Amino acid sequence: MKLGLMLPVNRTIQWDVAAQLGVRYAVTKAAPELSGLADPSDFKALETVVDRFRERGFYLYALEGDEFDMSRIKLGLPGFEEDIERYRQMLRNMGKLGIRLLCYNFMAGVGWFRSRSDLPERGGALTSGFDIREIRNDVPLKVTEEQMWENYTRFIRAVIPTAEEAGVKMGLHPDDPPVSPLFGYSRILTDADAYRRAMGIVDSPSHGITFCQATFRAMGENVFDLVREFGSKIFFFHFRDITGTKTCFRETFHDNGPTDMAALLETVSRYAPDCLIRPDHTPTMAGESNENFGYAMLGNIFAVGYLKGLLENVRMSSGD
């Protein structure tokens, strides 16, 4: 397993801290509104991003999230063909520049969502959560689940051959929270059966899973069984934990949730040994701004240290 960290696309103090923590593999979102450059379908723009990370000693291993507006693709709106070709060009550019992984989702209209970001965690740290009772979700349906499946099928069949040719793996992230509909948008990746259906659409070494452990837990799934089942299809592992269910849950510190994280990592190391792993959705700790909740740095420092310790234990147990 390779330890990575989600870092801003432009250099900040988080880059320096990550380097001091010994993190080598970087994950970033290179969308224009963040990078100040063209989107990654432009080779020179993406090359600039790669060079920035390389100069600081990082290997930019993965892009994560929507790197440009995916609405037409996800909702099947006029112009989706043009956007799919743009997506293919991004994959070609990634392959040429050595970016091996793309973490993508198929959440239309609303991405990952929380109804609260000020819930108290251990020692007064702040964490986020979702409670469906706190939102107005009784709005007209904008797109059906079957339409979303049609749009996803068309998209993945179009782009996976290009990803395979480019040597890029695509890891599908679940809907977070895994409820449907959300604010009128149907969501289709809300349980393990949906993943079985998605993985069956195209058979390719480039078609796989971003295993966001806490989201699968929120679904009510047994994450240990799913790691064993999905195995080498797990390209990327998001390491976090929650308490609660899909309609009402809260994030926890990585060592303060219900999952046996040490045992889970041992299982991942056995069934998906080549995956990239990164900590996700860390609480905001004392003295930090909660503006970018889930991604403040002190929580990540704790999470990286905790994760490195668990990974070292896995290596010692395996005799490496």
Side-chain angles (χ1 to χ4, degrees), residues 112-263:
W112 77 278
F113 175 81
R114 297 292 182 266
S115 59
R116 294 280 298 276
S117 61
D118 60 349
L119 299 173
E121 234 287 342
R122 183 175 59 203
L126 298 178
T127 192
S128 65
F130 174 75
D131 189 336
I132 201 166
R133 297 168 297 185
E134 296 177 342
I135 66 172
R136 290 293 305 272
N137 205 34
D138 54 342
V139 298
L141 195 63
K142 301 175 177 69
V143 58
T144 68
E145 291 186 12
E146 199 49 48
Q147 286 171 328
M148 287 295 295
W149 275 113
E150 290 172 3
N151 298 339
Y152 177 72
T153 299
R154 177 173 54 218
F155 162 73
I156 202 64
R157 285 178 174 167
V159 302
I160 280 294
T162 304
E164 191 170 335
E165 290 172 6
V168 175
K169 293 186 175 183
M170 293 179 59
L172 175 60
H173 192 289
D175 298 334
D176 183 15
V179 297
S180 181
L182 187 64
F183 299 119
Y185 292 95
S186 291
R187 293 154 82 87
I188 56 175
L189 297 159
T190 58
D191 58 28
D193 281 342
Y195 264 80
R196 295 178 186 111
R197 177 175 175 177
M199 291 300 105
I201 294 171
V202 180
D203 182 15
S204 167
S206 287
H207 186 33
I209 297 167
T210 293
F211 196 96
C212 188
Q213 163 224 338
T215 309
F216 281 103
R217 183 180 182 90
M219 295 173 187
E221 304 285 356
N222 184 309
V223 293
F224 289 85
D225 288 347
L226 288 185
V227 168
R228 297 183 188 101
E229 176 184 345
F230 294 145
S232 61
K233 278 292 184 182
I234 299 174
F235 299 158
F236 196 10
F237 194 92
H238 282 186
F239 185 75
R240 65 185 185 92
D241 209 4
I242 61 158
T243 60
T245 65
K246 65 182 180 181
T247 57
C248 184
F249 64 82
R250 63 195 305 279
E251 309 272 0
T252 71
F253 277 107
H254 294 79
D255 67 335
N256 200 36
T259 306
D260 185 337
M261 301 298 246

Side-chain angles (χ1 to χ4, degrees), residues 271-286:
Y271 290 91
D274 295 327
C275 73
L276 179 72
I277 185 169
R278 76 163 180 86
D280 197 16
H281 295 189
T282 57
T284 300
M285 299 179 70

Side-chain angles (χ1 to χ4, degrees), residues 80-133:
F80 72 83
E81 299 98 334
E82 175 186 338
D83 290 346
I84 285 177
E85 181 50 44
R86 190 176 174 190
Y87 203 95
R88 287 196 193 105
Q89 187 56 49
M90 176 180 69
L91 291 167
R92 296 183 191 105
N93 293 344
M94 291 175 65
K96 291 176 183 176
L97 292 166
I99 304 172
R100 303 268 62 94
L101 177 64
L102 176 60
C103 172
Y104 74 104
N105 67 75
F106 217 71
M107 291 180 273
V110 184
W112 77 278
F113 175 81
R114 297 292 182 266
S115 59
R116 294 280 298 276
S117 61
D118 60 349
L119 299 173
E121 234 287 342
R122 183 175 59 203
L126 298 178
T127 192
S128 65
F130 174 75
D131 189 336
I132 201 166
R133 297 168 297 185

